[in-house]
Amino acid sequence: NAGVTQTPKFRVLKTGQSMTLLCAQDMNHEYMYWYRQDPGMGLRLIHYSVGEGTTAKGEVPDGYNVSRLKKQNFLLGLESAAPSQTSVYFCASSSLGTGTSGANVLTFGAGSRLTVL
Amino acid sequence: GDSVTQMEGPVTLSEEAFLTINCTYTATGYPSLFWYVQYPGEGLQLLLKATKADDKGSNKGFEATYRKETTSFHLEKGSVQVSDSAVYFCALDSNYQLIWGAGTKLIIKP
């Protein structure tokens, strides 16, 4: 099983450029998440989705947009990249979502390292 | 708001040493608690979890007990191996989000 696949794995952008990160999962999970990981700060939730056609803001949504047109895909877009968005981005999915006691286990992708110059 | 505090790393140990990585939390109610592990160049994966007070999660020789009285979920292993070198994250389940600790890097020397 592929699990959660993120593309691309690495990308270098110039300030002001746009790009889209793609996350695909083959586990039929309802819930999908985009996190960013910065040194010493753990993971911070950017946006999440509780099902096809839905999205919601997380802790740090500014400067990002997302779409969930198909259940298996969750796209993260940067319309005008800034150096502060240099980070490692992780996509994750789960079958029942957080808030369901004992049931939430996230499956993560391998990460996408983005550098904005 | 809810939060998770982990001991700062890196933690460097010799092979076969005893490991403790401290994790304490602040939360309303009684959230589920998790330890995730991130090996070099990979995404995070669940190591163990506990869903209520006094529960003990265990996996791959690692253990952690949900202590409500001390609001802690410390990770322990009796004898670490070089292959345990990774970053370990403590997390709690809060209001439909996971709240993460900053991560603790563990280095095991042969």
Side-chain angles (χ1 to χ4, degrees):
Chain A
N1 288 338
V4 177
T5 303
Q6 293 182 228
T7 53
K9 294 189 186 308
F10 302 94
R11 185 72 187 270
V12 178
L13 290 177
K14 294 181 179 179
T15 298
Q17 288 184 318
S18 63
M19 75 158 295
T20 300
L21 298 176
L22 170 63
C23 176
Q25 53 95 3
D26 62 0
M27 298 169 286
N28 202 36
H29 282 173
E30 289 291 335
Y31 294 75
M32 297 187 74
Y33 309 84
W34 274 108
Y35 289 93
R36 59 178 290 172
Q37 183 181 29
D38 301 295
M41 299 186 72
L43 279 79
R44 291 182 292 171
L45 183 65
I46 304 170
H47 286 280
Y48 64 101
S49 169
V50 301
E52 182 178 315
T54 74
T55 63
K57 294 180 180 180
E59 180 186 359
V60 289
D62 294 343
Y64 305 94
N65 56 76
V66 288
S67 63
R68 184 103 181 265
L69 299 180
K70 294 183 178 181
K71 184 177 184 178
Q72 64 267 34
N73 295 338
F74 194 30
L75 278 64
L76 178 71
L78 287 72
E79 290 188 346
S80 180
S84 61
Q85 294 177 303
T86 294
S87 188
V88 180
Y89 292 86
F90 286 97
C91 178
S93 69
S94 66
S95 58
L96 292 176
T98 60
T100 305
S101 179
N104 181 52
V105 175
L106 270 61
T107 300
F108 281 83
S112 298
R113 183 175 294 275
L114 174 65
T115 301
V116 183
L117 303 176
Chain B
D2 296 354
S3 65
V4 174
T5 302
Q6 286 182 239
M7 64 188 294
E8 290 189 18
V11 173
T12 303
L13 296 172
S14 297
E15 205 166 19
E16 299 183 2
F18 184 86
L19 167 71
T20 300
I21 299 178
N22 291 336
C23 171
T24 58
Y25 67 90
T26 301
T28 54
Y30 304 103
S32 295
L33 301 174
F34 306 85
W35 278 101
Y36 279 78
V37 59
Q38 183 179 29
Y39 297 105
E42 299 183 9
L44 284 74
Q45 57 186 276
L46 180 71
L47 181 60
L48 53 84
K49 66 178 182 180
T51 60
K52 60 183 185 295
D54 299 325
D55 263 5
K56 177 184 285 187
S58 61
N59 186 24
K60 299 181 180 179
F62 290 89
E63 293 183 340
T65 301
Y66 190 161
R67 302 285 189 198
K68 185 178 66 173
E69 62 278 10
T70 55
T71 61
S72 64
F73 193 53
H74 304 323
L75 182 68
E76 297 181 335
K77 187 175 184 181
S79 177
V80 293
Q81 305 300 312
V82 172
S83 58
D84 293 327
S85 297
V87 180
Y88 293 81
F89 291 90
C90 185
L92 68 82
D93 197 349
S94 170
N95 195 28
Y96 298 92
Q97 297 188 23
L98 284 185
I99 307 299
W100 298 87
T104 303
K105 185 173 184 177
L106 176 64
I107 301 169
I108 306 301
K109 295 187 174 181

